[in-house]
Amino acid sequence: TVVFENRVAENLIGLIAGYFNAKAVDEKTSPLAGKLGQKVFSSELTLTDDPFYKNGAACRPFDDEGYASLKTTLVDGGRVNSFLTNSVLARKMKLAHTASADRAPSTDLSVSPTNLIVKPGKQTAEALLGADSKVILVTEILGTAGFRGTSGDFSIPIEGHMYENGKRGSPLKDFLMSGNILQLLGSIEAVGNDALPPLGNIVCPSLLVRDLNIAGKA
């Protein structure tokens, strides 16, 4: 049983941010290609792209084509609800136009998310850590070089602590977690209520996951 601390959980959501880019879906470099309307994630997960979230770093009233920004639910109770589009991709792919155009002066028209917000649950972080007799709390991801975006497979070094019966025990260093990001986010059993003010454009509480491969020695 693993709990990803809120800041670490933000990093996990960041790994899939590009999967909702309609351009990546169209080019089939996103693992979510062909999965619109399907239940890919845990029923506990609802993810929204919110350009109006005032504490986020990616607020904007308009996209880079000049269209008024829209709040878009990307994942609704685990189901892939929408992809992020600009006007060109919306017409080409017959998708809803989400006003997510992004373009720099020297680049072609693309798509980018704004603030990605995970809907909080009702459980405290303490309740998550007491969910099982032994729980690993992941407090840091030591780089994501082992993440393969096109497949979602990962092998990533982590640090944290072992909790036994809800009480903090030994620290964990030089540990490795491996698996697939879609399977990981599909196995979320609980979402905490402890989201922090964002350091960037992602807001996510702590997440409880079971059946994740963790290797190392305390």
Side-chain angles (χ1 to χ4, degrees):
T1 302
V2 178
V3 171
F4 292 97
E5 198 172 49
N6 40 34
R7 290 301 188 202
V8 177
E10 292 171 3
N11 292 333
L12 295 179
I13 298 300
L15 295 178
I16 66 166
Y19 288 1
F20 298 95
N21 184 325
K23 184 177 181 181
V25 173
D26 186 46
E27 295 173 350
K28 294 184 170 52
T29 58
S30 167
L32 298 182
K35 291 182 169 60
L36 185 64
Q38 296 183 22
K39 190 173 182 300
V40 175
F41 303 97
S42 164
S43 299
E44 300 296 319
L45 184 66
T46 293
L47 176 65
T48 302
D49 180 80
D50 188 355
F52 311 114
Y53 185 78
K54 62 181 181 180
N55 293 323
C59 298
R60 63 186 182 198
F62 304 97
D63 73 354
D64 284 353
E65 289 184 296
Y67 289 99
S69 293
L70 299 170
K71 185 176 179 180
T72 304
T73 301
L74 301 174
V75 179
D76 188 2
R79 195 174 302 278
V80 180
N81 187 70
S82 183
F83 297 126
L84 297 175
T85 63
N86 53 41
S87 63
V88 175
L89 287 166
R91 287 193 300 270
K92 177 183 178 182
M93 300 173 68
K94 296 181 172 57
L95 295 172
H97 181 211
T98 64
S100 303
D102 178 62
R103 176 166 50 195
S106 60
T107 62
D108 294 331
L109 184 67
S110 187
V111 170
S112 69
T114 59
N115 301 301
L116 296 175
I117 315 296
V118 172
K119 182 180 178 180
K122 297 181 179 180
Q123 295 193 48
T124 64
E126 290 75 15
L128 298 183
L129 292 171
D132 211 339
S133 58
K134 290 187 178 182
V135 175
I136 292 175
L137 173 66
V138 178
T139 59
E140 189 170 359
I141 290 177
L142 305 176
T144 56
F147 174 68
R148 299 181 181 274
T150 54
S151 66
D153 294 333
F154 63 81
S155 182
I156 297 175
I158 58 172
E159 289 186 352
H161 282 85
M162 176 69 76
Y163 276 71
E164 296 190 38
N165 298 315
K167 295 183 179 181
R168 181 168 165 171
S170 59
L172 306 177
K173 293 186 177 181
D174 300 322
F175 270 60
L176 197 70
M177 69 174 185
S178 59
N180 181 276
I181 192 65
L182 295 184
Q183 293 176 0
L184 187 159
L185 296 176
S187 62
I188 294 171
E189 291 197 8
V191 178
N193 64 359
D194 60 337
L196 297 173
L199 298 176
N201 71 319
I202 299 175
V203 179
C204 185
S206 297
L207 303 173
L208 185 148
V209 176
R210 284 191 171 92
D211 300 324
L212 179 65
N213 290 322
I214 303 282
K217 184 177 181 180

